Amino acid sequence: MRGVVVFLGPSCDPAAARQILDADYRPPAKRGDIIRAVEEGARVIGLIDGVFFQDSAVAHREILAALRAGVRVVGASSMGALRAAELDSLGMEGVGEIYRAYREGRLVADDEVALLFDPETFAAISEPLVNIRATVQAAIECGVIGADTARALVEAAKEIYFPDRTYEAVASAAEERGGDPEEAARFLEFAGEHAVDQKRKDALLALEYIRDIISAP
């Protein structure tokens, strides 16, 4: 749809996104992309995915410039959640659990949402820490693991550099930290079938939010 630009990558596949919102979908945002979208006529911008380490990240000043120009900027899931938590008091709109966790200080590190992805297909190659945390919580609630193993899994995940974070690596590292081997194995099996993709959930919520914005009378 003319006037609606969404920066999207590994958080959600374009086919699923288009079922919710007709928009101009662009690759993960890098510095300058927000201003370029405004110059090209965007009236609503959805910032979901953005680059962190491959290129210069989206700058706060370009989001503020978009807001001053009257453009609504919605952030969620990944880079968008980070920037929304930092700029919501200045007009950026945040959506989803990851945004709220940053906003409330339950998450503080940028690498919570970082992952390695294929630059051509945007398919995730590693697992973001926010998803691992959500899957660990789900495993607790399902009685798969206990609190001690959950703590060991999260601490192990935090110590692994983000491009190397996989459920296999996390389970193995948790065992090395003294976690229960049987519970670690059960968690790995659980993650294989029931892994929680919190970034995707939040991305879908953001698309629904933008759809409601442009549908409002």
Side-chain angles (χ1 to χ4, degrees):
M1 172 177 285
R2 185 178 177 82
V4 180
V5 173
V6 177
F7 293 96
L8 185 67
S11 291
C12 180
D13 58 284
R18 290 185 190 284
Q19 289 183 355
I20 297 173
L21 177 68
D22 180 17
D24 176 359
Y25 287 97
R26 301 184 183 184
K30 60 182 183 301
R31 188 160 300 176
D33 284 348
I34 299 292
I35 289 298
R36 193 169 300 109
V38 173
E39 292 172 347
E40 292 171 356
R43 303 310 304 161
V44 180
I45 294 175
L47 176 58
I48 295 177
D49 288 307
V51 300
F52 284 89
F53 303 98
Q54 307 93 324
D55 210 326
S56 297
V58 170
H60 299 78
R61 63 177 179 274
E62 59 185 302
I63 295 174
L64 294 175
L67 294 170
R68 285 195 298 271
V71 177
R72 294 184 71 166
V73 184
V74 177
S77 184
S78 190
M79 173 62 77
L82 272 170
R83 289 292 181 264
E86 295 161 341
L87 298 175
D88 57 0
S89 63
L90 298 173
M92 188 171 177
E93 298 164 66
V95 176
E97 169 58 25
I98 298 169
Y99 154 71
R100 286 192 295 275
Y102 276 119
R103 182 75 176 82
E104 295 167 2
R106 288 182 282 123
L107 298 178
V108 294
D110 290 3
D111 83 331
E112 289 275 351
V113 293
L115 79 168
L116 186 66
F117 61 89
D118 186 307
E120 295 184 0
T121 66
F122 302 132
I125 297 173
S126 65
E127 198 67 34
L129 184 50
V130 287
N131 284 357
I132 294 170
R133 288 182 186 273
T135 302
V136 167
Q137 182 60 38
I140 293 174
E141 293 170 357
C142 291
V144 175
I145 58 174
D148 289 343
T149 296
R151 193 175 304 109
L153 287 163
V154 171
E155 290 303 314
K158 288 165 65 176
E159 291 182 357
I160 297 172
Y161 188 41
F162 79 89
D164 301 322
R165 283 185 188 131
T166 63
Y167 283 109
E168 290 80 5
V170 170
S172 177
E175 282 190 49
E176 294 174 2
R177 294 177 60 89
D180 183 287
E182 291 187 4
E183 289 197 9
R186 288 206 299 271
F187 172 75
L188 191 55
E189 184 177 354
F190 177 84
E193 297 182 358
H194 307 291
V196 179
D197 191 343
Q198 191 63 53
K199 290 183 71 170
R200 178 182 169 85
K201 287 183 175 182
D202 285 9
L204 296 176
L205 285 175
L207 296 173
E208 292 172 355
Y209 183 84
I210 296 171
R211 181 190 61 196
D212 292 344
I213 288 175
I214 62 176
S215 300

